[in-house]
Amino acid sequence: MTSTRDNELGARREQGPEALVALSQLALDHMEQGVCVYDADNRIVLVNQRYLSLFDMSADIVRVGTSYREVLAHSAMRGNFPQDQLDTLYSARIAQIAGGKPFRTEQQLASGLVMSLELKPLPGGGWMTICDDVTRLARLEAELRVQTERSQHALANMSHGLIMYDADSCVVVCNERFLNLYNLDPSIVRPGASHREVLDHWVSRGNLPGMPTDEFHKSRLEDVRTRKAKSLLVMRYDGRMVQTVSRFLPDGGWVTVHEDVTERLQYEETLRQQNFILDAAMENMAHGLAFYDSDMRLRVCNTTYRKIYLLSPEETRPGTHLAELIERSMANGAFSSEYSPRQLLEAASARIANRDSSPMRRRMSNDTVISVRYCALHEGGFVATYEDITEREHAIEELSEQYRRFDAALNNMSQGLCMLDASLRVIVCNRRYIEMYGLSPDIVKPGVSMREIMEHSCELGVHQNTTAARLYADYVERLREGEHTLHRHLSDGRIIKLNHKRMEHGGWVVTYEDVTERHKAQARVAHMARHDSLTDLPNRTLFREKMGEGLNQVAIAGGAMAVLCFDLDNFKTVNDRLGHAAGDRLLRWVAARLKENVGEHDTVARLGGDEFAVLQRGPQPQAAEKLARRLVEVLGHPPPLENQSIHVGASVGIAIAPDHGLDADELMKCADLALYQAKAKGRGAYQLFEPEMEEEARSRHALEHDLRGALEARQFHLVFQPQLRLDSTELTGFEALLRWKHPSRGFVSPAEFIPIAEETGLIVPIGEWVLRSACATAASWPDVTVAVNLSPVQFRSRGLVAMVTSALAEAGLPPQRLELEVTETALLDDSEATIEILHQLRALGVRVSLDDFGVGYSSLSYLRKFPFDRIKIDRSFVGTLGESPESVAIVRTIASLGSVLGVETTAEGVETEEQLDFVRECGCTAVQGYYFGRPCPASEVGRTIETLNTVRRVA
């Protein structure tokens, strides 16, 4: 059999050049490429069927002998290129061929196919052109360019920074917004850089991860290992806090999104595809080519085929069987180990038998991928072509990877994103956008129009008080204005921020961000800036704005407006006794009562502490006085706090616009002056501003100024008034009384300066001076007492007991010779604390008396809580004993009460013998007043003692 075939081959060789040409023509006609060879006169000497079919040209015209110009003219007539370009194209091609160097070009036919043409001069003169259909590859490249542009548009218009790492913790991509956000060097933070390198550089720029760098790096690697999604707060170099959210990808990498930044994702992947160089009709082809006879024995092959299968020219001699070629190539290591020779041969045999010319993929040991096609010939045998499709496969894989990465980045954004074309149809959108509006993914997908999306969302009830048509019309009108930001207020109360960026080639990138909480926080901040946090009433700022508005209305439209300033009486006592929490509850109760009692259009504000104010329109001052009376009454009866009754009230000052001015500062000053006068009345009162109050305020301020320097200037001195037992007229002691002699004012009444001293706190150092001076003076007297008044303010200051102890020790005065006088006011402020101090003073041996009993609350509970040594009856009752039966009854009742309790009762202000008889008749045990002697300086106390003792002896 072998001998017969050799004879046939030998016979064909003997037939000469004609047989070789026929054989070459047969091989060329079954190639994947089109081939046309021209002689030195530019006329065809060889052309294959693939060349004709690629350009849809007739074999009757394009045949051996046809000139190149005729070929181009026929191709133009077939519509492969415009006929008016024939001369230009022909001249350009001939000029390039004449240059003697091969060149390559592409041509897109009217049919849409893209042809790759390589023209190459031949060594013996003439030239050849090799054509290949690269339409699919061009389409892949175009799709990749479009997808890359879309990816770049989407990522560049993100307002977040984004960085992606692969499974090896190396950077895959990061956008420009990420670099700008942290002021990073792009030559360091680049694809391929390790996470540690990025982190070290990130920290070197002044950014802080919130923990040591090594610890942070280990933590991130642990997160990657456990695939634990995590949200972190980090501090940027300029102090701003950035939230980072990491999500992990199926391939082991992760994506980190940095909020509130615009980002551009660097997805720049370049796809390079090498075009196979067509050299000659056989040897210079980029594809491998082999021709086999009907017995599957090799007849002809080219060099590319040998390279692919690692075969030498000796191993590929004509007549070698396909099975032997497979075994030799496998032995040479061409194939990967997944194939066996038998499998490869059976696959080839089956395709030839079935005349199946579709390509098969073969992976070689060097990781290249070869596309193999077997084309059976009618005359028997077959042609096999071998194409290296490794780059093409990589391109397809890369494109798929681009899609996957883009999808991962898109759907892991915390913002919604939608890309629209120029017709406002969706190109791509992410999952967050669909979830944000509760839309159906079956409706919202590429190709759907924004009009349809709005109709869908309106049907779902996402937008209230509008229609899809109105919504869409407004949307289109806004887009005409260019790039912009708008806010959608959804029916469920959420607020969505839409940011529109125009794409370079038309269309829009729209990002959607839920800013509901941000807007709520801003609203809360704005409200808190103008309202009191405890009572939620307008604060001083908002009150002044409302006052300004009201004063403008009064100035323009007429009418009147009242400003009422409130001050709680004894509020400090509540805080001191029951704590600030109880005080806060009282303030909230006051705020509620104020809001309940004012008019619908009145403004109630808390100015600070226990100060409140009301703006009231209406007929004035009648309406303001009526409101003030009602509020003084209501606020004078607060509920118990901590199961204890409390004694507070309100004092009110009133100023009227325009009567007292149209300036806000002036009006507030008038109201404050009126409030001061109301408190001076004894609290729990209201007062309308009167012009003379300003002069009183100035005088009081001047007096306060002088009072502050009086102690240091030694302008105070003490006088002493005698106290006597009524049954024996025996001198028992003296009351020390403070006097102030001003160098220019002369003597200033205690009734005038003592209240100022108490308000300013000056009574504390002045009172200490009085006590020490009185003790020092009394130490030189006979065995009589000295009485010193204590102010309620002194009880609120720390160290009263220590100060009394020090004064007694310093003067050498026995404690039983000191009597301290306290008023009901001191007990009212904080009875529990005050009575505890009185017990401590009593423990020293000091006597304690209750002064001015009868003019205050006259609460018997004080007499029960503390055993006073003396009760002093106020002079106002003694002075009216002969005129007022009520005074007689009061004095008699107090004296009787003292007798029952075993407490001495002293009547103050006895100036006449008739008054002396009255208080004796009422049962008082002691007296004090001008009848027995006026207050005298310390230097005259000895004479007074001697005079009173003489009177007593005579009596």
Side-chain angles (χ1 to χ4, degrees), residues 296 344-356 360 374:
M296 303 184 75
L344 293 174
L345 184 61
E346 288 178 351
S349 300
R351 287 181 174 266
I352 294 167
N354 296 326
R355 307 188 75 82
D356 181 1
M360 294 185 300
Y374 296 108

Side-chain angles (χ1 to χ4, degrees), residues 366-518:
N366 61 357
D367 287 333
T368 59
V369 179
I370 305 300
S371 175
V372 182
R373 295 165 59 99
Y374 296 108
C375 301
L377 304 176
H378 293 290
E379 300 82 3
F382 61 94
V383 172
T385 58
Y386 307 88
E387 181 184 1
D388 186 340
I389 61 171
T390 307
E391 293 298 323
R392 186 185 307 168
E393 289 290 305
H394 285 173
I396 294 172
E397 291 174 3
E398 196 65 31
L399 183 60
S400 299
E401 180 67 10
Q402 287 277 14
Y403 275 118
R404 188 190 67 77
R405 290 177 178 176
F406 176 68
D407 184 69
L410 203 63
N411 288 307
N412 281 284
M413 290 173 57
S414 61
Q415 287 186 332
L417 183 141
C418 189
M419 188 182 294
L420 306 174
D421 62 18
S423 301
L424 298 185
R425 290 186 176 274
V426 173
I427 299 172
V428 67
C429 67
N430 67 355
R431 187 184 305 117
R432 177 63 178 142
Y433 166 68
I434 293 174
E435 293 172 349
M436 191 175 286
Y437 285 93
L439 305 174
S440 170
D442 296 330
I443 295 176
V444 182
K445 52 189 177 182
V448 68
S449 69
M450 184 53 69
R451 182 192 294 273
E452 293 172 295
I453 294 176
M454 289 181 175
E455 290 173 351
H456 174 47
S457 63
C458 285
E459 289 173 1
L460 294 175
V462 175
H463 305 283
Q464 283 185 336
N465 304 322
T466 189
T467 63
R470 189 180 304 123
L471 198 64
Y472 182 74
D474 177 70
Y475 191 69
V476 172
E477 184 63 29
R478 286 176 177 269
L479 288 181
R480 287 198 186 101
E481 298 172 2
E483 297 184 356
H484 68 283
T485 298
L486 62 89
H487 292 78
R488 294 277 191 228
H489 293 258
L490 306 188
S491 57
D492 61 2
R494 288 182 297 135
I495 302 172
I496 307 299
K497 177 184 176 183
L498 283 69
N499 191 36
H500 295 76
K501 294 289 186 181
R502 196 188 299 275
M503 293 192 293
E504 183 178 354
H505 300 295
W508 301 86
V509 173
V510 189
T511 56
Y512 302 81
E513 183 180 3
D514 189 335
V515 295
T516 309
E517 292 305 318
R518 186 187 305 166

Side-chain angles (χ1 to χ4, degrees), residues 792-804:
V793 178
Q794 289 176 275
F795 281 89
R796 292 197 292 267
S797 66
R798 296 180 180 180
L800 177 60
V801 176
M803 188 266 286
V804 172

Side-chain angles (χ1 to χ4, degrees), residues 90 112 149 175 283 352 415 475 551 559 581 597 604 747 935 946:
Y90 175 76
E149 288 177 0
N175 63 4
E283 292 302 325
I352 294 167
Q415 287 186 332
Y475 191 69
L551 291 174
N597 286 277
V604 180
F747 283 102
E946 183 179 345

Side-chain angles (χ1 to χ4, degrees), residues 27-40:
L28 290 172
D29 284 342
H30 287 86
M31 287 176 58
E32 279 295 305
Q33 290 76 31
V35 177
C36 188
V37 181
Y38 294 86
D39 60 16

